[in-house]
Amino acid sequence: HRFIKEELQSEEPTISWQVDSFGESRGYARLARDIGFDAMFYSRVDAKAKLENFEKKQKLGVWRPAEDNFGAQKDILTVLMT
């Protein structure tokens, strides 16, 4: 974050992109929220989730990665890139 702010004279980013070729991670979603991101993009999901999203024409969602421990505190907006 600091590098982007200093080198590009920009605000700190608030959106993350999970560049993981093996799928989304609940741990990453929680970490992204913990360090201040409001939303995250990801592109790989299992076939069942992909089919459900396709049928519903839904790419946006709210992910609650640590619901058992934190409830809604760690909610993060998610966008599925297809």
Side-chain angles (χ1 to χ4, degrees):
H1 292 125
R2 190 176 333 131
F3 174 82
I4 292 172
K5 188 172 185 175
E6 290 172 1
E7 294 299 316
L8 302 177
Q9 283 113 33
S10 175
E11 295 297 317
E12 291 185 18
T14 60
I15 298 174
S16 171
W17 176 27
Q18 183 175 347
V19 188
D20 179 358
S21 62
F22 295 105
E24 75 280 1
S25 162
R26 183 172 65 179
Y28 180 83
R30 180 176 167 218
L31 178 63
R33 189 68 181 125
D34 284 346
I35 62 174
F37 289 116
D38 298 322
M40 65 178 263
F41 286 83
Y42 63 100
S43 58
R44 186 169 172 160
V45 296
D46 65 57
K48 182 180 175 185
K50 189 173 189 174
L51 181 61
E52 288 174 4
N53 287 333
F54 179 76
E55 289 173 350
K56 294 178 183 177
K57 298 181 181 176
Q58 180 178 347
K59 292 185 178 186
L60 291 174
V62 175
W63 195 351
R64 190 169 287 168
E67 183 173 18
D68 295 344
N69 298 323
F70 298 102
Q73 290 178 355
K74 304 294 180 181
D75 283 3
I76 189 164
L77 177 67
T78 58
V79 181
L80 175 60
M81 298 171 27
T82 55

